[in-house]
Amino acid sequence: MAVAVDTLQEIREKLEVGERLDFDDGLALFETDDLLGLGELADLARRLRSGGDEVFFVQNLYLNQTNVCRVKCKFCAFAKTRKQEGAYTITADELVEDAARQHAASGFTEIHIVNGENPHVDFAFYVDTVRRLHEALPDVHLKMYTASEIHHMSKLAGISHRDVLRELQSAGLGSLPGGGAEIFAQRVRRLIAPGKEPAEDWFDVHEAAHGLGIPTHCTMLYGHVETYEERVDHLLRLREQQDRTSGFLAFIPLAFHPENTVFERRGWRFTTGADDLKVIAVSRLLLDNVPHVKAYWIMMGLPLAQVALHFGADDVQGTVAREQIFQAAGATSGTEQKISELVRFVRAAGRIPVQRDTLYDELRRWQ
Ligand code: SF4
């Protein structure tokens, strides 16, 4: 323990003089048993870099237009083949009608859509969906398609990532979510997602998006076969990308949920609360150039997300109506929180709730 305390003290000194943390610091942070010391350090980093007591959330609707997917990632409980029971693909008309009905009822400001990589539709299907959603709900921000999906579209259409993004942008796309990153190390990708494109493609999509002025998000799926070294490598690669293009709005750590996946049959368990808090804290400490770190309450549950607000997180994602991907993998946190509930939950953590839009412009604040 004395070693851990000394290590944290050395890292604190670096933080206080604004010195960047390196790979060995990241490893030491993951290896420490001093969980509360780590949380305190991450909270200090958050305050030193950006400041206040605000905790952000957005009012959003999650939709999945198709769960048909060709990739078969081993950690995924969402994807189906076209002939499997429960497989679906919704037309643009049906999707728009559903979204417009929901919008009339709740007035969300963001639609978040990710899908399986469906080999039975073409690129026009995606462009048409974005265009129609944008026409029907011009004031709603469309945050759609992971880098993996953009890569899939580039294969479908035989054009570059940049050209795919340019077409989607002119149809009304506002930003990209951060999925598909998993863990960048090729050893891990081969084990958990052998059918997925290499990490370089994920970066190429995000770099192209940032070059076109499309902001994006970044993620890390942890709690399966990855080592601490591979987590640190992942975070530092994100930091390097952000140094080059500055287009990431937020980082979202995603805990692996084993239910209904091949890993459940092998007896794998959910991550522990201590590990979830550690990942939030180390992310905040290493990602000194990404403005926001999210405690995704759907994944962590509200009580732990509340604690995470003292471990470096400053965003709880949002009202998240209708999330299906973590629910398929055993998340028990429900799929919708009303604004009043989120406000109560943020206040009870001693922080100031701020409703934001996707680009972090403030819409409303509860003092
Ligand atoms: S994680 Fe995405 S790409 Fe992988 S199988 Fe599931 S839906 Fe398909």
Side-chain angles (χ1 to χ4, degrees), residues 66-80 114-118 146 148-149 180 182 192-193 195-197 221 325:
T66 176
N67 63 352
V68 175
C69 188
R70 56 166 197 92
V71 185
K72 300 190 175 61
C73 300
K74 292 187 182 166
F75 57 81
C76 181
F78 168 73
K80 307 264 185 209
V114 298
N115 300 301
E117 296 184 24
N118 188 334
T146 65
S148 298
E149 290 176 83
E182 324 312 358
I192 64 165
K196 198 160 249 182
E197 66 287 341
L221 181 75
I325 292 177

Side-chain angles (χ1 to χ4, degrees), residues 128-142:
D128 188 45
T129 298
V130 175
R131 182 170 297 114
R132 297 226 202 157
L133 274 173
H134 184 57
E135 282 166 5
L137 300 168
D139 297 331
V140 171
H141 182 101
L142 301 180

Side-chain angles (χ1 to χ4, degrees), residues 42 80 110 119 202 214 232 241-242 297-298 312 319 321 330 347 366:
K80 307 264 185 209
E110 169 187 291
W202 189 94
I214 301 172
V232 174
Q241 176 70 57
Q242 183 75 336
W297 67 264
I298 288 267
T319 50
R347 276 184 160 160
W366 287 260

Side-chain angles (χ1 to χ4, degrees), residues 141-273:
H141 182 101
L142 301 180
K143 176 181 167 192
M144 293 170 67
Y145 307 136
T146 65
S148 298
E149 290 176 83
I150 300 295
H151 181 65
H152 174 61
M153 291 175 212
S154 83
K155 294 281 168 212
L156 287 175
I159 57 178
S160 67
H161 296 147
R162 187 181 159 81
D163 287 344
V164 166
L165 288 162
R166 213 174 3 215
E167 281 209 43
L168 294 173
Q169 184 181 33
S170 14
L173 179 83
S175 65
L176 298 186
E182 324 312 358
I183 289 280
F184 294 132
Q186 193 54 20
R187 180 194 79 84
V188 176
R189 291 178 100 73
R190 264 200 296 270
L191 289 172
I192 64 165
K196 198 160 249 182
E197 66 287 341
E200 290 67 28
D201 285 309
W202 189 94
F203 281 107
D204 190 65
V205 169
H206 284 266
E207 181 138 358
H210 298 172
L212 291 167
I214 301 172
T216 71
H217 301 75
C218 52
T219 61
M220 175 173 78
L221 181 75
Y222 66 93
H224 40 84
V225 301
E226 86 286 1
T227 61
Y228 284 164
E229 284 84 353
E230 286 159 342
R231 285 184 189 175
V232 174
D233 169 69
H234 185 99
L235 293 169
L236 293 186
R237 288 173 77 170
L238 290 174
R239 190 171 79 179
E240 281 164 26
Q241 176 70 57
Q242 183 75 336
D243 277 346
R244 283 198 300 279
T245 53
S246 305
F248 293 132
L249 292 170
F251 172 72
I252 310 106
L254 301 171
F256 171 58
H257 279 216
E259 215 164 283
N260 303 321
T261 74
V262 294
F263 296 111
E264 184 187 22
R265 297 196 285 282
R266 296 179 194 170
W268 286 34
R269 304 278 177 83
F270 288 96
T271 55
T272 63

Side-chain angles (χ1 to χ4, degrees), residues 29-30 43 56 74-75 88-89 106 128 131 133 136 151 160 164 172 188 225-226 280 296 298 324 336 345 360-361 363:
L29 290 167
F30 272 122
D43 198 51
F56 300 93
K74 292 187 182 166
F75 57 81
Y88 65 82
T89 302
S106 67
D128 188 45
R131 182 170 297 114
L133 274 173
H151 181 65
S160 67
V164 166
V188 176
V225 301
E226 86 286 1
I280 292 268
Y296 186 26
I298 288 267
Q324 290 179 35
E336 182 167 2
F345 143 88
Y360 285 84
D361 289 322
L363 300 179

